[in-house]
């Protein structure tokens, strides 16, 4: 669907993007993450055709009329109503959807009750919902969403994530976000930008499994000091953190070592095990490890 | 909702049409009155100073209108046009339009056309008002010459809107568009100081309405009209091209 080669963007002396080779599969939800100034908005701008790369190329299997863009802070002429904005978005494209689609997307965005109000009085969250409605009204094949849930309350954020999830398979979605939990939830592929370079690109599951250290949370009946000491002596244990009088976090050298030896140490110290769970790595842990 | 209706709503809901119409209509009504009663006004408020004015002629009523309309009216027209044609003044709104239409001409042409129609319509109302009051208060004005003068004035206003479109393709705010356009429009008469150049410049058409009513030959404005139409078309074409190539 999208393939960039050696994409570079320079603003004077500032290198905003440096040799980006992006690969976005058709029908996937691609999360673009990275700290402020990493180049996410510039990359989306180039994909949208709003900016020209200094070097490199962009190949897309979709015509520009099937691409829709949602800026991070959508704004519209304040004297229009929400219904007029969505109808305008529907009508001015190369392939307008049927008029009844306007009501459908207003409903999906939760704006039916406010559809005829001038948008000059809309909150930022409502504008973001409106921007999303205007973005999806013509059912584009490619959606470029710049922080689509950043201004939304928890309910609005949930609705946006559900909407993006529903689009999977029907449209290709590239969305940037600072909310890594959102990316982890809805994206099947992520690209991590750091200082204009693509520091990682691949599936979320690969990122989480390959880049994390196996950790386990173990809850025991006190006293637990003898068990903690035994774990610290074990050669397969990287670190042991006592989190309280009855809880310990164990970081192992490998999953295999932990699976074969952890139970033995607990048995040898006659620990009374209440629970033992592998501590799942979050995308936030992994991304922080990459970008810092 | 079409892009044409959008521009109509921009005029109506932002009340820009009222500002435009008021500016031209006000001076259309005021010009002949001030020409007719200037002597009395000065006598009443002159503080004892005696100033004798010749009897006003019908052309004086039109002159007063043209003098005000070509300054205040033109400035209002530039502001209204800049508000419509500064597509990227709000980048998020620019993004909305740029990523949807196949060609930016589809956005700019309705903005140009509707704004131009509003400006020319307001100028027509002002001219009609000035004509009516002049006939009532001072004397007859030849309708044919007045009409041709209005046509030439309208050509100049169209040129001004084209210049606004061109300037807006390079500037990043409504205010900077207005200021840069005003500088260009003020610069044209300065260029006209060069001998034999003035009658070729678009600014020569500013006084066409007044000049024709005073008996100036039609052909005196022909060269400026041809240059103005050509320059306007070129400016509009360049505006569309530059706006299309602009990065947001």
């Amino acid at each position: 669907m999208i393939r960039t080669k050696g994409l570079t963007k320079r603003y004077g002396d500032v290198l905003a993007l440096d040799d980006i080779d992006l690969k976005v599969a058709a029908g996937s939800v691609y999360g673009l993450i990275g700290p402020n100034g990493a180049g996410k908005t510039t990359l989306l701008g180039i994909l949208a055709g709003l900016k020209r790369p200094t070097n490199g190329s962009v190949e897309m299997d979709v015509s520009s009329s099937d691409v829709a863009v949602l800026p991070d802070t959508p704004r519209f002429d304040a004297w229009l109503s929400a219904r007029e904005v969505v109808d305008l978005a529907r009508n001015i494209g190369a392939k307008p959807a049927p008029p009844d689609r306007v009501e459908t997307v207003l409903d999906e965005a939760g704006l039916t009750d406010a559809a005829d109000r001038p948008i000059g009085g809309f909150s930022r969250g409502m504008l973001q919902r409106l921007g999303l409605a205007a973005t999806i009204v013509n059912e584009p094949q490619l959606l470029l969403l710049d922080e689509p849930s950043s201004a939304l309350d928890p309910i609005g954020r949930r609705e946006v994530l559900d909407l993006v999830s529903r689009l999977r398979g029907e449209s290709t979605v590239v969305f940037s976000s600072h909310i890594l939990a959102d990316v982890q939830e809805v994206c099947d592929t992520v690209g991590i930008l750091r200082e204009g370079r693509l520091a990682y690109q691949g599936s979320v599951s690969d990122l989480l499994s390959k880049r994390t250290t196996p950790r386990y949370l173990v809850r025991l009946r006190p006293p637990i000091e003898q068990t903690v000491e035994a774990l610290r002596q074990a050669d397969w244990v990287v670190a042991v953190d006592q989190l309280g009088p009855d809880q310990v976090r164990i970081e192992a050298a490998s999953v295999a070592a932990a699976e074969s030896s952890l139970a033995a140490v607990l048995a040898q110290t006659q620990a009374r095990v209440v629970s033992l769970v592998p501590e799942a790595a979050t995308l936030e842990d992994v991304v922080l490890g990459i970008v810092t | 909702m079409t892009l044409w209706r959008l521009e109509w709503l921009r005029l109506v809901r932002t009340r820009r049409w009222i500002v435009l119409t008021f500016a031209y209509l006000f001076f259309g009504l005021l010009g002949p009155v001030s020409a007719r009663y200037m002597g009395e006004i000065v006598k009443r408020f002159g503080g004892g100073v005696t100033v004798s004015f010749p009897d006003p002629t019908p052309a004086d009523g039109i002159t007063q209108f043209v003098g005000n309309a070509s300054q205040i009216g033109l400035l209002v027209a530039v502001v209204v046009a800049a508000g419509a044609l500064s597509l990227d003044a709000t980048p998020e709104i620019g993004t909305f339009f740029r990523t949807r239409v196949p060609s930016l001409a589809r956005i700019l042409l309705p903005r140009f056309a509707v704004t131009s129609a509003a400006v020319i319509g307001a100028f027509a109302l002002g001219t009609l008002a000035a004509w009516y009051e002049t006939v009532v208060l001072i004397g007859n004005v030849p309708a044919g010459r007045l009409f041709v003068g209005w046509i030439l004035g309208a050509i100049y206003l169209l040129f001004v809107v084209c210049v606004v479109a061109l300037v807006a393709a390079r500037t990043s705010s409504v205010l900077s568009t207005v200021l840069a356009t005003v500088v260009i429009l003020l610069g044209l008469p300065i260029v006209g100081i060069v001998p034999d150049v003035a009658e070729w410049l678009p600014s020569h058409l500013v006084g066409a309405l007044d000049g024709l009513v005073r008996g100036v030959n039609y052909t005196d404005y022909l060269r400026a009209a041809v240059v103005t139409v050509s320059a306007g078309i070129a400016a509009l074409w360049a505006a569309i091209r530059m706006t299309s190539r602009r990065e947001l």
Side-chain angles (χ1 to χ4, degrees):
Chain A
M1 164 64 85
I2 303 176
R3 182 183 289 266
T4 72
K5 282 186 185 167
L7 206 63
T8 302
K9 180 67 179 177
R10 187 179 283 279
Y11 296 108
D13 293 335
V14 178
L15 193 58
L17 292 177
D18 185 10
D19 200 25
I20 301 287
D21 293 334
L22 199 72
K23 290 175 192 166
V24 181
S28 67
V29 179
Y30 189 106
L32 207 51
I33 51 186
N36 289 334
K40 303 186 294 295
T41 299
T42 300
L43 181 53
L44 287 178
I46 291 174
L47 297 180
L50 295 168
K51 299 180 191 298
R52 284 187 296 279
T54 309
N55 279 310
S57 62
V58 179
E59 292 173 31
M60 287 197 201
D61 297 338
V62 59
S63 73
S64 59
S65 61
D66 275 318
V67 180
V69 182
L70 176 65
D72 56 347
T73 51
R75 286 179 65 184
F76 309 95
D77 289 310
W79 36 269
L80 289 171
S81 69
R83 178 174 280 113
E84 287 169 337
V85 168
V86 177
D87 193 40
L88 184 66
R90 178 195 69 80
N91 200 39
I92 65 176
K95 290 187 272 184
D100 59 359
R101 178 89 180 124
V102 173
E103 299 307 320
T104 304
V105 295
L106 281 170
D107 184 46
E108 282 182 351
L111 290 171
T112 302
D113 292 342
D116 294 314
R117 277 169 41 194
I119 59 174
F122 275 23
S123 66
R124 191 173 162 221
M126 290 174 80
L127 284 174
Q128 206 151 23
R129 287 163 179 263
L130 177 58
L132 197 62
T135 303
I136 63 174
V137 66
N138 278 341
E139 300 178 281
Q141 287 183 33
L142 172 62
L143 287 96
L144 303 172
L145 312 177
D146 194 359
E147 312 236 4
S149 57
S150 61
L152 298 175
D153 55 29
I155 296 171
R157 183 170 147 247
R158 167 54 40 208
E159 288 169 354
V160 167
L161 295 179
D162 289 346
L163 185 69
V164 172
S165 296
R166 285 202 299 274
L167 292 169
R168 180 181 281 111
E170 297 172 10
S171 304
T172 305
V173 181
V174 179
F175 91 91
S176 74
S177 181
H178 282 118
I179 306 170
L180 299 179
D182 291 357
V183 175
Q184 186 170 359
E185 181 177 335
V186 298
C187 294
D188 28 45
T189 313
V190 291
I192 301 175
L193 283 170
R194 184 180 62 182
E195 295 174 353
R197 296 188 68 88
L198 200 54
Y200 173 84
Q201 179 172 234
S203 73
V204 176
S205 55
D206 278 357
L207 181 64
L208 293 175
S209 62
K210 290 179 182 172
R211 302 242 175 182
T212 55
T213 308
R215 288 197 189 98
Y216 297 84
L217 272 177
V218 184
R219 175 158 287 173
L220 307 166
R221 294 277 177 223
I224 67 170
E225 285 70 21
Q226 185 188 353
T227 305
V228 170
E229 191 53 39
L231 286 166
R232 286 186 174 140
Q233 300 300 321
D235 57 0
W236 55 271
V237 173
V238 174
V240 179
D241 294 326
Q242 189 170 343
L243 304 175
D246 62 348
Q247 196 169 30
V248 63
R249 178 191 287 124
I250 304 156
E251 185 177 319
S254 69
V255 172
E259 286 174 351
S260 62
S261 305
L262 177 55
V265 173
L266 295 174
Q268 283 166 13
T269 56
Q270 297 182 325
R272 295 169 61 193
V273 180
V274 177
S275 65
L276 189 158
V277 289
E279 190 179 62
T282 65
L283 191 57
E284 187 165 344
D285 299 330
V286 177
V287 170
L288 284 174
I290 291 175
V291 301
T292 57
Chain B
M1 173 74 80
T2 66
L3 289 165
W4 291 92
R5 178 163 167 72
L6 177 73
E7 293 317 305
W8 170 249
L9 293 179
R10 188 188 308 280
L11 270 180
V12 173
R13 291 190 184 166
T14 61
R15 296 179 173 84
R16 293 175 193 191
W17 74 274
I18 295 176
V19 178
L20 257 179
T21 305
F22 176 80
Y24 280 99
L25 203 53
F26 177 75
F27 293 120
L29 293 170
L30 189 71
V33 172
S34 61
R36 169 67 181 80
Y37 296 108
M38 186 55 77
E40 283 84 342
I41 293 169
V42 171
K43 192 174 175 181
R44 178 174 285 264
F45 298 104
V49 178
T50 304
V51 181
S52 61
F53 288 90
D55 288 340
T57 65
D60 291 339
I62 302 300
T63 301
Q64 286 285 343
F65 165 64
V66 170
N68 290 316
S70 63
Q71 293 173 23
I72 308 296
L74 190 66
L75 183 63
V76 173
V78 168
V79 171
V80 169
L85 290 162
S86 298
L87 178 66
D88 299 323
T90 306
E92 293 83 2
I93 295 179
T95 298
F96 175 81
F97 288 107
R98 283 172 175 275
T99 55
R100 280 174 173 80
V101 295
S103 158
L104 279 178
R106 284 183 61 177
I107 302 172
L108 291 179
L109 289 179
R111 291 177 181 232
F112 167 78
V114 173
T115 302
S116 298
V119 170
I120 290 172
F123 178 53
L125 282 175
T127 306
L128 279 173
W131 182 39
Y132 172 78
E133 284 223 329
T134 301
V135 170
V136 169
L137 296 175
I138 306 172
N140 195 30
V141 175
R145 285 182 163 270
L146 188 88
F147 180 69
V148 174
W150 175 80
I151 294 279
L152 293 170
I155 288 173
Y156 177 72
L157 289 173
L158 277 174
F159 166 78
V160 168
V161 180
C162 292
V163 171
V164 172
L166 181 61
V167 170
R170 296 305 298 264
T171 52
S172 56
S173 71
V174 175
L175 180 61
S176 57
T177 303
V178 170
L179 293 175
T181 303
V182 168
V183 167
I184 291 170
L185 296 179
L186 289 176
L188 283 175
I190 295 171
V191 175
I193 294 171
V194 179
D196 300 330
V197 170
E199 59 264 33
W200 290 88
L201 294 175
S203 52
H204 190 48
L205 298 183
V206 173
L209 184 60
D210 178 36
L212 288 176
V213 170
R214 291 186 178 279
V216 174
N217 202 318
Y218 291 111
T219 54
D220 278 17
Y221 298 102
L222 191 60
R223 284 170 293 189
V226 170
V227 168
T228 304
V229 169
S230 306
I233 291 170
L236 189 59
W237 177 82
I240 292 169
R241 189 173 165 79
M242 285 164 60
T243 306
S244 302
R245 294 176 58 83
R246 184 178 195 176
E247 283 192 53
L248 200 61

